[in-house]
Amino acid sequence: MDYKTLHLAHHASIATVTLNRPDKRNAISYELMDDLLAALNAVVNSSALVLILTGAGTAFCSGMDLDNLKALVGRSPEQSLKDSEIMAHLFRSLYDFPKPTIAAVNGAAIAGGCGLATLCDFTLAVPEAKFGYTEVRIGFVPAIVSTFLLRQVGEKHARDLLLTGRIIEAAEAHRIGLINEIVPAERLIERARELASQLIENSPASLACTKRLLSEHARVELDAQIRSAVRENAAIRASNDFREGISSFLEKRKPRWSGE
């Protein structure tokens, strides 16, 4: 398949997906979501035993694409709901991926990009990487990612990150359990491949069964939470604060919140 926003490579039972919009800091566009879902499906049906997800350039994924952000304000309620469902499907596809996944975070991983980085089974990051769920700063709601974040770092850390919208350094992300390892930039991909090789030594059937078991443990609760999150994600787009947040962000000014 000809991907426009990413690169998919296979080597020694390892599939590597590289988000490839370096000029846009690998921001999430509708096209990137489609490409990433297609690439995940391709890896599932390939001989690869482990997936590595990384980014081209200096960022891993900086969140939503600016052009897509502009378009969000004019979307109908039906379109907003569909958008939310697609994003939820992407995150769930990565969370439930049947093969081990490793995120090699080469730079900033913000908002939805932070979701992609931390939904992998293992998250390796360079010391300069930054993480954050900045949605509340632009009148949005981190509904879908919050479902997973609560499980990863616990309620206190999740409330801190989601309600403040602050950006944290790799060291803090490691301390609270958001990432597994901090790796020097020059060794990031090498270390990801070392980990992948270690995983490949295990039984593929056992790995698949273990991943399936972990997903099944959470499935009923996650299904209900994500349905609610999708509705909240779509509903906030009809608010005045959402429109003001997007406008102020694009205009690079301080927002004037109305609370509506």
Side-chain angles (χ1 to χ4, degrees):
M1 180 173 173
D2 183 21
Y3 302 102
K4 296 182 179 179
T5 63
L6 58 81
H7 179 66
L8 172 59
H10 291 266
H11 177 71
S13 298
I14 302 170
T16 301
V17 171
T18 304
L19 305 181
N20 193 28
R21 305 183 73 213
D23 56 321
K24 301 290 187 180
R25 294 175 57 80
N26 300 319
I28 299 173
S29 63
Y30 296 121
E31 190 172 45
L32 185 142
M33 286 192 283
D34 289 343
D35 276 356
L36 188 48
L37 281 167
L40 292 177
N41 186 61
V43 175
V44 167
N45 294 302
S46 75
S47 60
L49 299 176
V50 178
L51 168 67
I52 295 173
L53 177 63
T54 191
T58 59
F60 176 80
C61 178
S62 60
M64 182 65 76
D65 180 86
L66 288 181
D67 289 334
N68 285 176
L69 272 179
K70 294 176 187 176
L72 288 182
V73 177
R75 305 282 275 182
S76 69
E78 294 77 18
Q79 289 173 319
S80 293
L81 185 61
K82 183 64 175 177
D83 291 344
S84 299
E85 289 171 343
I86 292 171
M87 182 64 80
H89 178 50
L90 174 58
F91 286 164
R92 194 64 181 273
S93 296
L94 190 56
Y95 182 81
D96 289 334
F97 199 72
K99 302 175 182 182
T101 55
I102 303 167
V105 183
N106 56 302
I110 307 299
C114 194
L116 294 178
T118 56
L119 283 174
C120 290
D121 298 315
F122 302 89
T123 304
L124 317 179
V126 298
E128 301 78 20
K130 291 179 170 53
F131 302 84
Y133 301 89
T134 55
E135 286 87 343
V136 295
R137 293 164 63 176
I138 60 168
F140 206 31
V141 58
I144 299 169
V145 291
S146 69
T147 302
F148 302 99
L149 185 64
L150 282 164
R151 294 177 171 276
Q152 293 170 328
V153 300
E155 188 168 342
K156 276 296 184 183
H157 290 311
R159 284 177 180 266
D160 176 359
L161 295 173
L162 298 174
L163 295 176
T164 65
R166 67 189 181 94
I167 305 295
I168 64 174
E169 306 286 337
E172 183 174 358
H174 184 255
R175 178 179 63 80
I176 66 175
L178 194 62
I179 66 175
N180 297 89
E181 296 180 32
I182 299 176
V183 183
E186 64 273 13
R187 286 205 70 243
L188 180 63
I189 296 301
E190 178 185 358
R191 173 60 188 136
R193 288 174 178 162
E194 287 175 358
L195 178 55
S197 296
Q198 180 182 349
L199 291 165
I200 288 169
E201 292 179 1
N202 298 329
S203 158
S206 294
L207 288 173
C209 183
T210 301
K211 289 213 61 177
R212 186 167 60 250
L213 185 65
L214 291 169
S215 291
E216 286 299 326
H217 281 323
R219 185 170 304 282
V220 174
E221 187 177 358
L222 275 178
D223 284 347
Q225 290 174 341
I226 289 176
R227 283 195 298 269
S228 175
V230 165
R231 291 193 297 269
E232 292 293 339
N233 187 282
I236 194 68
R237 301 185 192 195
S239 70
N240 290 330
D241 271 6
F242 175 74
R243 288 189 287 272
E244 170 60 16
I246 297 298
S247 297
S248 62
F249 178 74
L250 295 173
E251 295 166 10
K252 295 181 172 56
R253 61 173 174 81
K254 190 173 181 178
R256 297 182 289 271
W257 303 121
S258 67
E260 300 175 351

